[in-house]
């Protein structure tokens, strides 16, 4: 039987969680559908760690639901502010995060469906009116006044016929995938410098012991004294919306992981007794579809720190493009202390009503996407999308017809930040 809700959120990652809580706090009857048995998306299923900066200098740019999550993590001793490469990063424990996010979603009154995969979109004319799911309970239709696509890949929008782009303009290649993993039992005080470890890595590549296109090892500290987190595997020429490519990427990234583990144990001081603590349940996907919306955010908008009158969240993360074809990473930072805004129009897919897109598939260029894709910014745009969806449902109107000032007012009322001056 169809299930009717004011707002349906597809995907329980950073954007989807914030959207569901934001909508429910507006009084909307809200359904959140997630394919795993836990929430968190790339933070827990991909264990993408740590959170990149959501500050411009000492000015915080994203709060709202994200701040609620951070406060709960702090209460559990599961959060730490750290610094790498001169930048502030935010370490969290993935298991605590699963529980914190679950508690916040349930406390908000969200109806939650786990172990449920969205397989199709219900469209009536130009309006998206629901989704179709598959689970142990079989195939079901879920109809809602407003749908929020927070799948990370724009699955609902794409299956509903939305226009989208993939990859960079010259060849369509997308940023590489990375399987995150963590080493336990590390004698951290004995670890060499980052430069010395990378010299050992490069030497191992030259000896043929490492077959990985990444130019160096990328690692971060954690909330535990004897654990080091690695974001260093790299699988190129793959598409995260293709089953066979995902299979190939999982196989290749796990091969790369064990190469690095052996290198660390055999050649890097401090890792002699270390062990592979875990690998992420799934490979981390940086980029797939970008749903074309009423506005396309560009690299110039990001690096120019452009502010928009219909801003719904803020960001300051670098243009950060891992080479889709192999070695190298392009980093272009904003000017010190600067930040940009994401306009509401980027969440509105062209030619479709009843649907908002939140998270990394919003309407951007390949270059701008490399900045907006980080989890804190996704949380901020998800929060705004959930609020907009609730306001549209309560007003019996479409998201495009809303007065953005009403959305902005509710974002701020729920603790969001739209002006960091």
């Amino acid at each position: 039987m169809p299930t009717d809700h004011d707002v349906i959120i597809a995907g329980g990652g950073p954007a989807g969680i914030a959207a569901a809580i934001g909508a429910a706090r507006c009084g909307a009857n809200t359904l959140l559908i997630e394919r795993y048995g836990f929430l968190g998306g790339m933070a827990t299923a991909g264990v993408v760690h740590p959170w990149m900066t959501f500050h411009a200098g000492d000015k915080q740019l994203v709060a709202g639901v994200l701040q609620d999550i951070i406060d709960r993590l702090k209460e559990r001793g599961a959060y730490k502010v750290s610094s790498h490469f001169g930048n502030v990063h935010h370490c969290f424990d993935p298991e605590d995060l699963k529980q914190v996010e679950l508690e916040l979603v349930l406390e908000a009154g969200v109806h939650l469906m786990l172990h449920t995969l969205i397989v199709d979109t219900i469209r009536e004319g130009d309006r998206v009116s629901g989704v179709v799911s598959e689970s142990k309970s079989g195939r079901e239709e879920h109809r809602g006044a407003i749908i929020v696509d927070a799948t990370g890949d724009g699955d609902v929008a794409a299956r509903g016929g939305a226009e989208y782009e993939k990859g960079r303009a010259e060849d369509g290649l997308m940023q590489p995938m990375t399987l995150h993993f963590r080493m336990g039992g590390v004698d951290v005080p004995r670890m060499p410098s980052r430069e010395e470890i990378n010299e050992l890595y490069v030497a191992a590549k030259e000896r043929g012991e490492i077959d990985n296109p990444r130019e160096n090892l990328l690692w971060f500290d954690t909330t535990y004294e004897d654990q080091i987190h690695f974001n260093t595997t790299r699988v190129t020429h793959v598409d995260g919306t293709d089953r066979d490519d995902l299979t190939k990427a999982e196989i290749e990234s796990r091969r790369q992981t064990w190469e690095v583990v052996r290198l660390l144990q055999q050649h890097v001081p401090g890792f002699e007794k270390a062990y592979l603590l875990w690998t992420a349940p799934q490979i981390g996907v940086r980029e797939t579809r970008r749903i074309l919306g009423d506005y396309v955010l560009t690299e110039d908008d990001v690096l120019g720190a452009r502010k928009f009158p219909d801003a719904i969240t803020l960001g300051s993360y670098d243009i950060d493009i891992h080479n889709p074809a192999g070695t190298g990473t392009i980093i272009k930072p904003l000017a010190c202390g600067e930040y940009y805004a994401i306009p509401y129009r980027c969440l509105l897919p062209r030619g479709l009503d009843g649907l908002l897109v939140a998270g990394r598939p919003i309407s951007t260029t390949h270059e701008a996407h490399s900045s907006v894709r980080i989890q804190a910014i996704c949380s901020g745009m998800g929060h705004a999308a959930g609020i907009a969806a609730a306001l549209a449902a309560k007003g019996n109107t479409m998201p495009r017809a809303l007065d953005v000032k009403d959305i902005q007012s509710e974002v701020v009322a729920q603790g969001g930040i739209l002006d960091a001056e």
Side-chain angles (χ1 to χ4, degrees), residues 52 193 200 245 296 364 401:
M52 297 294 103
S193 69
L200 294 171
D245 276 9
V296 179
T364 68

Side-chain angles (χ1 to χ4, degrees), residues 79-349:
Y79 180 83
K80 180 180 77 173
V81 177
S82 190
S83 178
H84 306 88
F85 314 106
N87 296 318
V88 173
H89 296 140
H90 305 263
C91 301
F92 58 89
D93 180 80
E95 291 301 323
D96 282 275
L97 182 63
K98 289 176 185 176
Q99 186 62 23
V100 162
E101 292 178 331
L102 181 63
E103 291 172 356
L104 285 168
V105 163
L106 295 178
E107 288 169 13
V110 175
H111 180 200
L112 181 62
M113 289 183 181
L114 300 176
H115 294 290
T116 305
L117 180 66
I118 291 171
V119 297
D120 208 351
T121 300
I122 301 171
R123 175 171 168 173
E124 300 170 353
D126 291 334
R127 178 177 180 177
V128 172
S129 59
V131 295
V132 180
S133 72
E134 286 278 3
S135 70
K136 292 290 187 179
S137 298
R139 178 166 289 216
E140 298 173 289
E141 291 186 355
H142 312 277
R143 295 181 183 269
I146 306 296
I147 314 299
V148 178
D149 185 341
T151 61
D153 299 312
D155 289 337
V156 174
R159 291 188 175 115
E163 299 176 68
Y164 61 85
E165 295 178 340
K166 289 182 182 179
R168 56 190 185 183
E170 60 266 36
D171 54 17
L173 290 180
M174 289 164 273
Q175 289 207 55
M177 300 184 199
T178 293
L179 181 71
H180 286 243
F181 66 91
R182 187 167 293 191
M183 298 290 288
V186 182
D187 188 352
V188 173
R190 292 186 55 245
M191 286 177 59
S193 69
R194 200 172 289 272
E195 292 75 17
E196 291 172 304
I197 291 175
N198 279 320
E199 287 177 4
L200 294 171
Y201 173 77
V202 171
K205 290 186 72 171
E206 292 173 348
R207 293 193 302 269
E209 296 173 11
I210 295 288
D211 180 17
N212 182 336
R214 186 175 171 87
E215 61 275 14
N216 56 19
L217 287 180
L218 179 60
W219 55 265
F220 301 94
D221 61 348
T222 70
T223 55
Y224 296 93
E225 293 181 355
D226 66 341
Q227 294 181 17
I228 295 294
H229 186 100
F230 287 87
N231 172 352
T232 209
T233 62
R234 176 173 288 188
V235 184
T236 62
H237 297 85
V238 282
D239 182 343
T241 66
D242 182 277
R243 176 203 60 209
D244 292 339
D245 276 9
L246 283 167
T247 300
K248 179 174 70 174
E250 292 282 3
I251 294 169
E252 170 61 16
S253 64
R254 294 180 189 281
R255 184 196 66 76
Q256 292 181 15
T257 294
W258 280 106
E259 281 189 345
V260 174
V261 169
R262 287 191 290 268
L263 168 68
L264 294 167
Q265 292 170 332
Q266 295 172 9
H267 296 290
V268 180
F271 285 87
E272 294 90 346
K273 296 181 180 180
Y275 51 90
L276 181 61
L277 182 63
W278 46 249
T279 58
Q282 76 147 81
I283 196 164
V285 179
R286 290 184 175 87
E287 178 185 13
T288 55
R289 301 183 187 100
R290 303 189 312 277
I291 305 300
L292 294 176
D294 290 355
Y295 184 81
V296 179
L297 194 75
T298 69
E299 178 179 3
D300 287 343
D301 293 331
V302 171
L303 296 181
R306 187 173 177 189
K307 316 301 189 292
F308 295 88
D310 60 335
I312 47 84
T313 196
L314 308 177
S316 65
Y317 188 57
D318 305 336
I319 297 291
D320 176 10
I321 304 174
H322 297 241
N323 187 354
T327 299
T329 303
I330 297 172
I331 302 290
K332 298 181 183 180
L334 278 73
C336 184
E338 285 289 358
Y339 65 92
Y340 62 91
I342 294 177
Y344 179 57
R345 288 163 290 162
C346 288
L347 280 58
L348 300 171

